[in-house]
Amino acid sequence: MAEDRVTVQVDGRRLSLSNLDKVLYPEAGFTKGQVIDYYARVAPVILPHLRDRALTFRRWPGGVQSNPFYEKDAGRHAPDWVKTAKIASGGRGQSSDVNAYPLVNDVPTLIWAANLAALELHAPQWTVGPRGARRNPDLLVFDLDPGEPATIVECCRVAERLRDLLAADGLRLYPKTSGSKGLQLYAAVKTATPEDTSAYAKAAAKKLAAETPGEVTAAMTKSLRPGKVFIDWSQNNPHKTTVAPYSLRGRPEPTVSTPVTWDEVEACRRPAQLKFLSDDVLDRVEEIGDLFEDLHDDPVKLPRARAGQ
């Protein structure tokens, strides 16, 4: 029996969508058609944060109860109108295979990705230049990951400290939920080398860990994380990615990595206060717009190391 398909026109592009009634989030009864609808409706605010970034898809074609897989190379099944960037994937000591990374710069490409059950869209902290080369990072990111029994509540307290610490260097941090357990902080920066952001973030993370070793860790060792907030500075490595703002997550429910205000961060005392599902996010966007809209307006020249370090 042939799978159900429907052909649609999106901004002049012809798309064949399949299995729209397939439930991808069984706990919520959330279907593939609803995933596609979410991305179509959130497109005005998500696309500026994806533009010219070499994305990695995390796909769940069997639904979130099945095993997902990461996909970096879109060349095998992408329509000829999908823009790609051919870039070596590995870092130092890793494979340097060249992949045709998808550039999700428009609504048709976003819908095409959603139809692949690419629930999560992961983006690097740099953009692709006109000839397909990596530019230097334009974003600094801190990924705050709580080790049980710590939660996003403890992440909020660490985020406040990072905000105040980095303000001394003129950096303005923008917070968002990870859509999973933690919190992520972004700042727009100017860098001279690809390594600048990692060095800066590592120094800041180690400073907070040294001040409160019982609450914060900057070490990659997982055995050191229970009860602490791990400040993952390594997401600034040019070969790593972070889930994009407004991306769905492959959780039991269709949670979203959601930009939030600092007032919301400061007020957080229960994890449920910073849990947002797809409908919540669409309502927030309609009411308050994109809280990350101004993220790139005033990039700060990033020092090679934190002041005083």
Side-chain angles (χ1 to χ4, degrees), residues 42 46 75 87 95 98 120 170 216 255 267 272:
V42 85
I46 193 174
I87 299 173
S95 169
V98 174
E120 295 185 1
V216 176
T255 55

Side-chain angles (χ1 to χ4, degrees), residues 87-262:
I87 299 173
S89 61
R92 182 178 300 173
Q94 300 176 6
S95 169
S96 57
D97 292 342
V98 174
N99 292 315
Y101 286 85
L103 301 178
V104 180
N105 290 351
D106 53 39
V107 177
T109 308
L110 183 62
I111 300 305
W112 164 75
N115 186 58
L116 295 175
L119 304 182
E120 295 185 1
L121 306 176
H122 293 253
Q125 319 313 327
W126 45 265
T127 59
V128 174
R131 296 184 180 181
R134 287 188 184 94
R135 292 190 173 107
N136 283 339
D138 63 347
L139 288 172
L140 172 75
V141 64
F142 294 90
D143 187 4
L144 308 185
D145 185 16
E148 294 183 356
T151 68
I152 196 172
V153 175
E154 285 73 28
C155 291
C156 287
R157 306 291 82 81
V158 174
E160 293 164 14
R161 293 173 59 197
L162 274 170
R163 174 195 59 188
D164 297 341
L165 177 66
L166 271 60
D169 285 339
L171 292 167
R172 179 184 178 186
L173 289 176
Y174 287 72
K176 73 176 178 72
T177 70
S178 69
S180 179
K181 299 181 297 180
L183 201 67
Q184 293 161 346
L185 309 173
Y186 288 77
V189 295
K190 299 176 184 177
T191 55
T193 74
E195 295 77 25
D196 285 353
T197 48
S198 287
Y200 182 93
K202 183 177 182 180
K206 290 179 70 175
K207 178 176 175 60
L208 263 62
E211 291 175 352
T212 52
E215 300 171 10
V216 176
T217 179
M220 296 293 171
T221 307
K222 290 187 177 181
S223 62
L224 299 178
R225 299 183 193 178
K228 302 179 183 180
V229 173
F230 170 48
I231 303 179
D232 188 354
W233 49 268
S234 74
Q235 297 299 310
N236 295 282
N237 184 311
H239 299 286
K240 289 194 175 184
T241 58
T242 308
V243 69
Y246 303 106
S247 172
L248 289 167
R249 298 306 306 265
R251 308 290 292 175
E253 297 178 281
T255 55
V256 176
S257 182
T258 308
V260 292
T261 66
W262 278 109

Side-chain angles (χ1 to χ4, degrees), residues 249-292:
R249 298 306 306 265
R251 308 290 292 175
E253 297 178 281
T255 55
V256 176
S257 182
T258 308
V260 292
T261 66
W262 278 109
D263 285 345
E264 289 176 304
V265 171
E266 292 170 358
C268 182
R269 294 297 182 271
R270 294 178 292 107
Q273 291 176 276
L274 291 183
K275 176 184 176 181
F276 303 98
L277 303 181
S278 56
D279 285 347
D280 300 325
V281 170
L282 292 172
D283 289 343
R284 283 171 65 87
V285 168
E286 184 175 354
E287 181 181 353
I288 62 179
D290 178 16
L291 292 176
F292 271 28

